[in-house]
Amino acid sequence: MNTIRPLEGIIVADFSRVLAGPLCTMTLADMGATVIKVERPGSGDDTRSWGPPFSATGSTYFESVNRNKQSVTLDLTDPADRALARELALRADVLVENFKPGGMNKLGLGHAELSAINPGLVYASISGFGSAGGAHLPGYDFIVQALGGLMSITGEAGEDPMKAGVALVDVLTAKDATIGVLAALNARAFSGAGAHVEVNLLSSLQGALANQGQAYLGAGKVASRMGNEHPSIVPYQLLACADGSLAVACGNDGQFARLCAEIGSPALAEDPRFATNTARVANRAELIPLLEHALGADTGANWQTRFTGVGVPAGKVAGIDEGLDYADSLGLDPVIEVHNAQGDTVGRQVRHPITWTPALDAPTMAPPQLGEHTQVIRAWLGSDVESMAEFQALAQPRP
């Protein structure tokens, strides 16, 4: 096992809240960074009160993106606490914030002011719509899904647009922010200089539109809602079986031919209307009823087994619980136990998705209680302690 964590020794000052920022900093913490989460006294991160559901230790929303962190409460309207926050930023390698653009400047915590004193600081700013014309707009995932085009392609044709079932834009933005921070840290290793990394929800969404965005830019095709159908691949959708629906994805003509053979209709793969993917897209309305007629002879579970056996991608629609069980059955170890400062198991979480070889000795500290580390961090910030070794001796030990 690799006992040296990739970001060991990196200090992250986390001035973010809700989802995109905290997910970014949790990712850094999972890789070994020391993340100090700055929270409002009394209430903390907004998501501490978002529920139900609540676990035995707090809001499951908050807990989903805040493990492996230390929590310090600082009142940024108080000059003394603001001075401690500034000291934290000056000792940090990375600062992540998602205040409205300009908000950190008003607190004396802006990039220009801090980097003049801490030139190696990697400063990451996350906003809804950037720091130019959209600086005044509040960044909410749902609104960005609407304005950015995602909802226009999500849902059934002719029905109301739908948002994704998770705050997907926040998650995408968190990953973009993490990539930016890691790239800046790598560049700093050569130049010694930090950087200001800026990401916003709208740009992250539009960067993730992939083929749908390029269909417009490259061919003038504005995508619309197609339910579970794919605009460029057929069949690539839910198909009705005897007891419900099955997701089927034929990414090439060979897979389609194997599907046709398995359902007892090999001639469909040779029919000029369906022999190529381009033809199948053009003749989707004729093909799908033929496939569903054949699939009606058996259950979705049986078809999944049969199709998987001949190399045709297929799967029943599972709940989150079933999805985790499936990942576990594949040996992916999707769940970890998290522990409090005493080493007691206090909950389970979805593990960091990267697998390392040799195996990473990943930390498993439970999300902190509000202000759990305030005393030790205030003591550190109020002293002239500079070394990580001394700080770690002061701080709560991390599993």
Side-chain angles (χ1 to χ4, degrees), residues 173-330:
T173 305
K175 292 183 179 294
D176 285 344
T178 303
I179 292 167
V181 166
L182 294 177
L185 285 173
N186 184 67
R188 188 183 75 166
F190 296 95
S191 69
H196 190 188
V197 175
E198 294 185 80
V199 296
N200 66 81
L201 272 64
L202 182 59
S203 294
S204 287
L205 166 59
Q206 290 174 332
L209 288 175
N211 60 299
Q212 298 284 43
Q214 191 58 32
Y216 166 65
L217 294 174
K221 171 66 174 177
V222 178
S224 60
R225 292 184 296 285
M226 299 180 64
N228 290 305
E229 296 178 355
H230 192 287
S232 305
I233 309 172
V234 175
Y236 196 104
Q237 62 187 85
L238 289 181
L239 297 175
C241 303
D243 61 344
S245 298
L246 181 72
V248 175
C250 287
N252 57 57
D253 296 339
Q255 290 174 344
F256 179 67
R258 292 194 294 275
L259 179 147
C260 293
E262 190 63 30
I263 65 175
S265 302
L268 285 178
E270 300 173 2
D271 188 315
R273 297 173 299 168
F274 314 130
T276 66
N277 180 69
T278 301
R280 291 192 294 275
V281 171
N283 296 290
R284 183 197 311 262
E286 298 169 67
L287 174 62
I288 298 306
L290 296 174
L291 296 179
E292 291 187 327
H293 176 76
L295 292 173
D298 207 343
T299 65
N302 286 342
W303 283 121
Q304 177 180 330
T305 299
R306 293 172 63 177
F307 287 157
T308 301
V310 296
V312 175
K316 289 280 287 180
V317 177
I320 290 174
D321 54 342
E322 295 170 306
L324 289 171
D325 287 344
Y326 181 62
D328 188 58
S329 75
L330 298 177

Side-chain angles (χ1 to χ4, degrees), residues 62-73:
F62 173 85
E63 291 177 344
S64 71
V65 291
N66 283 290
R67 66 171 172 255
N68 294 323
K69 301 179 185 179
Q70 299 176 22
S71 170
V72 58
T73 54

Side-chain angles (χ1 to χ4, degrees), residues 37-45 48 54-60 62-63 66-73 338-342 346-347 349 365-375 377 396:
K37 183 177 179 69
V38 178
E39 300 191 72
R40 292 186 300 267
S43 57
D45 189 310
R48 285 188 181 274
F54 294 97
S55 72
T57 51
S59 159
T60 58
F62 173 85
E63 291 177 344
N66 283 290
R67 66 171 172 255
N68 294 323
K69 301 179 185 179
Q70 299 176 22
S71 170
V72 58
T73 54
V338 292
H339 307 87
N340 62 18
Q342 290 72 46
V346 293
Q349 294 198 341
M365 179 67 77
Q369 296 301 302
L370 178 61
E372 181 178 343
H373 307 94
T374 293
Q375 183 176 354
I377 293 172
Q396 297 276 2

Side-chain angles (χ1 to χ4, degrees), residues 38-190:
V38 178
E39 300 191 72
R40 292 186 300 267
S43 57
D45 189 310
D46 298 349
T47 60
R48 285 188 181 274
S49 63
W50 285 11
F54 294 97
S55 72
T57 51
S59 159
T60 58
Y61 199 120
F62 173 85
E63 291 177 344
S64 71
V65 291
N66 283 290
R67 66 171 172 255
N68 294 323
K69 301 179 185 179
Q70 299 176 22
S71 170
V72 58
T73 54
L74 295 174
D75 181 357
L76 297 182
T77 66
D78 176 78
D81 277 12
R82 194 160 61 245
L84 290 177
R86 180 181 174 86
E87 182 63 25
L88 171 60
L90 295 179
R91 297 187 185 189
D93 298 282
V94 177
L95 184 151
V96 178
E97 60 92 9
N98 61 356
F99 282 66
K100 275 190 179 181
M104 290 286 277
N105 293 337
K106 296 176 182 177
L107 297 170
L109 297 169
H111 170 257
E113 188 170 343
L114 293 177
S115 63
I117 307 170
N118 182 6
L121 179 65
V122 173
Y123 192 109
S125 297
I126 300 172
S127 65
F129 300 90
S131 56
H136 65 290
L137 299 172
Y140 286 90
D141 177 281
F142 179 49
I143 303 304
V144 177
Q145 287 199 37
L147 288 172
L150 182 59
M151 287 179 64
S152 74
I153 58 173
T154 306
E156 296 292 339
E159 301 294 332
D160 287 342
M162 298 292 291
K163 68 177 181 65
V166 69
L168 184 62
V169 180
D170 277 324
V171 173
L172 292 167
T173 305
K175 292 183 179 294
D176 285 344
T178 303
I179 292 167
V181 166
L182 294 177
L185 285 173
N186 184 67
R188 188 183 75 166
F190 296 95

